[in-house]
Amino acid sequence: MSRPPVASTSIRYAGVVALAAAILYASIIEPGGVPRTFLGVGVTVYLHLAAYGGLSAALGYAVLAADRRTLLGVALVATAYGACIELLQGTIPHRTMAGSDVIVNAVGAAIGAGLWRVLAPRFGVVADCRSPADGGDPDDRR
């Protein structure tokens, strides 16, 4: 099976910035017209999972790395971004700040990082390379 083409670095990072901007916009506008629950779970939970999972996967793709340390960092960056947005929401009258949203964001970010780890080999990114101490080549990340 042939590999899909890898976008240029600037395009990959532009995608991350665009997604982060879309998440910010959706997080500060006045909510309306969204059903309250789906399958007994608040719709916002699904939205948070999808948004921060997507951001985490996009960050993994942007750096073209799928090793555990990098993906932990990617998930932490996505989670920190979500925490900052929650703090911002606390200053907006029509929005509410919720610690539970930060937890859901973290779960979504972890799922997104895991999804990227599974998909990365399709783009020629090696999920885990051995360290030089183990006889591995640190340049095997791609």
Side-chain angles (χ1 to χ4, degrees), residues 34-103:
V34 177
R36 291 206 178 279
T37 63
F38 179 71
L39 299 176
V41 177
V43 169
T44 59
V45 171
Y46 297 112
L47 295 174
H48 281 262
L49 289 171
Y52 291 94
L55 183 59
S56 190
L59 282 164
Y61 176 61
V63 297
L64 285 181
D67 59 280
R68 288 183 182 110
R69 183 176 298 209
T70 301
L71 292 182
L72 176 61
V74 158
L76 288 174
V77 166
T79 301
Y81 182 69
C84 289
I85 289 177
E86 287 300 319
L87 290 173
L88 177 63
Q89 286 179 337
T91 67
I92 301 172
H94 59 267
R95 301 301 299 217
T96 56
M97 178 174 56
S100 59
D101 285 347
V102 176
I103 294 168

